[in-house]
Amino acid sequence: LYGAQRVSRSSGEWVSLLRGKQVRDIFTPDPDVRTLFPTASILDIKQELASGTQLVYPVLDANGIVLGVISDEIRSAVRTGFDFGGVIIAADVMLPNIGVLQQDDLEAALAKMVENRLHALPVVDHEGKLLGLLLEQDITRAYCDLQQIPKDIG
């Protein structure tokens, strides 16, 4: 998937299957994404992670603007007992400025996921407000559709 390319029949050059296909083509807004505030303590983060199954947790300011995400790596550290007695807050451990717009192409979104070792990215509007999460499996599904690969192959 990460090298989602094939040879063009007309030019003989390698072309990306995901370039030109936009996030909006596969994304469905979800207002029920669970979020955290930048001031959330490690204990708050641990409680939220215990109550949910999201792949990433967007960190929002008071106006609903995405500031960053709590990544899979931070989730693992928090679950395994990582604790600094309330000294560390979400703003200290989040990946900042992570997100995609609906008009971004899937190739760029996938590259951002791989670069940051994430399995999901927040999708934001032009003001930076959260619209929902784009999952790696959504991109995989789009790739399968482009390749006409059956989705139920085990």
Short mmCIF file of all heavy atoms in Angstrom, two decimals, residues 37-42 45 70 86-94:
data_model
loop_
_atom_site.label_atom_id
_atom_site.label_comp_id
_atom_site.label_asym_id
_atom_site.label_seq_id
_atom_site.Cartn_x
_atom_site.Cartn_y
_atom_site.Cartn_z
N PHE A 37 -8.46 17.93 25.86
CA PHE A 37 -7.97 19.30 25.93
C PHE A 37 -6.47 19.28 26.17
O PHE A 37 -5.94 18.31 26.73
CB PHE A 37 -8.68 20.07 27.06
CG PHE A 37 -10.09 20.44 26.73
CD1 PHE A 37 -11.15 19.80 27.35
CD2 PHE A 37 -10.36 21.41 25.78
CE1 PHE A 37 -12.45 20.14 27.04
CE2 PHE A 37 -11.66 21.76 25.46
CZ PHE A 37 -12.71 21.11 26.09
N PRO A 38 -5.75 20.32 25.79
CA PRO A 38 -4.29 20.33 25.98
C PRO A 38 -3.87 20.26 27.44
O PRO A 38 -2.76 19.84 27.75
CB PRO A 38 -3.85 21.65 25.34
CG PRO A 38 -5.07 22.42 25.06
CD PRO A 38 -6.24 21.50 25.11
N THR A 39 -4.77 20.63 28.35
CA THR A 39 -4.45 20.60 29.78
C THR A 39 -4.78 19.27 30.44
O THR A 39 -4.57 19.12 31.65
CB THR A 39 -5.22 21.72 30.51
OG1 THR A 39 -6.63 21.55 30.23
CG2 THR A 39 -4.76 23.09 30.05
N ALA A 40 -5.25 18.29 29.68
CA ALA A 40 -5.58 16.98 30.25
C ALA A 40 -4.33 16.34 30.83
O ALA A 40 -3.28 16.30 30.20
CB ALA A 40 -6.18 16.08 29.18
N SER A 41 -4.44 15.85 32.05
CA SER A 41 -3.31 15.20 32.71
C SER A 41 -3.12 13.79 32.16
O SER A 41 -4.00 13.25 31.47
CB SER A 41 -3.56 15.11 34.22
OG SER A 41 -4.60 14.18 34.48
N ILE A 42 -2.00 13.19 32.48
CA ILE A 42 -1.75 11.81 32.07
C ILE A 42 -2.85 10.91 32.63
O ILE A 42 -3.32 10.00 31.94
CB ILE A 42 -0.34 11.34 32.52
CG1 ILE A 42 0.74 12.05 31.72
CG2 ILE A 42 -0.20 9.84 32.41
CD1 ILE A 42 0.76 11.73 30.24
N ILE A 45 -5.83 11.30 30.44
CA ILE A 45 -5.58 10.61 29.17
C ILE A 45 -5.77 9.11 29.37
O ILE A 45 -6.42 8.44 28.57
CB ILE A 45 -4.18 10.93 28.63
CG1 ILE A 45 -4.07 12.41 28.27
CG2 ILE A 45 -3.85 10.05 27.42
CD1 ILE A 45 -2.66 12.87 27.96
N ILE A 70 -2.86 12.69 20.31
CA ILE A 70 -2.18 11.71 21.15
C ILE A 70 -2.01 10.47 20.27
O ILE A 70 -2.99 9.89 19.80
CB ILE A 70 -3.02 11.38 22.41
CG1 ILE A 70 -3.23 12.64 23.26
CG2 ILE A 70 -2.36 10.26 23.22
CD1 ILE A 70 -1.98 13.28 23.80
N GLY A 86 0.92 13.67 37.33
CA GLY A 86 0.12 14.83 36.96
C GLY A 86 0.93 16.02 36.46
O GLY A 86 0.38 17.05 36.15
N VAL A 87 2.26 15.88 36.39
CA VAL A 87 3.10 16.97 35.91
C VAL A 87 3.00 17.13 34.40
O VAL A 87 3.00 18.23 33.88
CB VAL A 87 4.58 16.74 36.33
CG1 VAL A 87 5.48 17.81 35.76
CG2 VAL A 87 4.69 16.68 37.84
N ILE A 88 2.89 16.03 33.71
CA ILE A 88 2.82 16.03 32.25
C ILE A 88 1.36 16.14 31.82
O ILE A 88 0.49 15.47 32.37
CB ILE A 88 3.44 14.73 31.67
CG1 ILE A 88 4.87 14.56 32.14
CG2 ILE A 88 3.34 14.71 30.16
CD1 ILE A 88 5.84 15.59 31.63
N ILE A 89 1.10 16.98 30.81
CA ILE A 89 -0.24 17.15 30.27
C ILE A 89 -0.25 16.81 28.78
O ILE A 89 0.81 16.64 28.17
CB ILE A 89 -0.76 18.59 30.52
CG1 ILE A 89 0.15 19.62 29.85
CG2 ILE A 89 -0.94 18.85 32.01
CD1 ILE A 89 -0.37 21.05 29.92
N ALA A 90 -1.43 16.74 28.21
CA ALA A 90 -1.57 16.35 26.80
C ALA A 90 -0.74 17.23 25.86
O ALA A 90 -0.13 16.73 24.92
CB ALA A 90 -3.04 16.39 26.39
N ALA A 91 -0.69 18.52 26.13
CA ALA A 91 0.09 19.43 25.28
C ALA A 91 1.57 19.06 25.25
O ALA A 91 2.25 19.33 24.26
CB ALA A 91 -0.09 20.87 25.75
N ASP A 92 2.05 18.42 26.31
CA ASP A 92 3.47 18.04 26.38
C ASP A 92 3.79 16.81 25.54
O ASP A 92 4.93 16.64 25.11
CB ASP A 92 3.87 17.75 27.83
CG ASP A 92 3.76 18.96 28.74
OD1 ASP A 92 4.01 20.08 28.26
OD2 ASP A 92 3.42 18.77 29.92
N VAL A 93 2.81 15.93 25.33
CA VAL A 93 3.09 14.66 24.68
C VAL A 93 2.41 14.49 23.32
O VAL A 93 2.63 13.49 22.64
CB VAL A 93 2.72 13.47 25.61
CG1 VAL A 93 3.60 13.45 26.85
CG2 VAL A 93 1.25 13.50 25.98
N MET A 94 1.60 15.45 22.92
CA MET A 94 0.89 15.32 21.63
C MET A 94 1.84 15.58 20.46
O MET A 94 2.86 16.25 20.60
CB MET A 94 -0.27 16.30 21.58
CG MET A 94 0.15 17.75 21.44
SD MET A 94 -1.28 18.83 21.40
CE MET A 94 -0.46 20.40 21.11
#
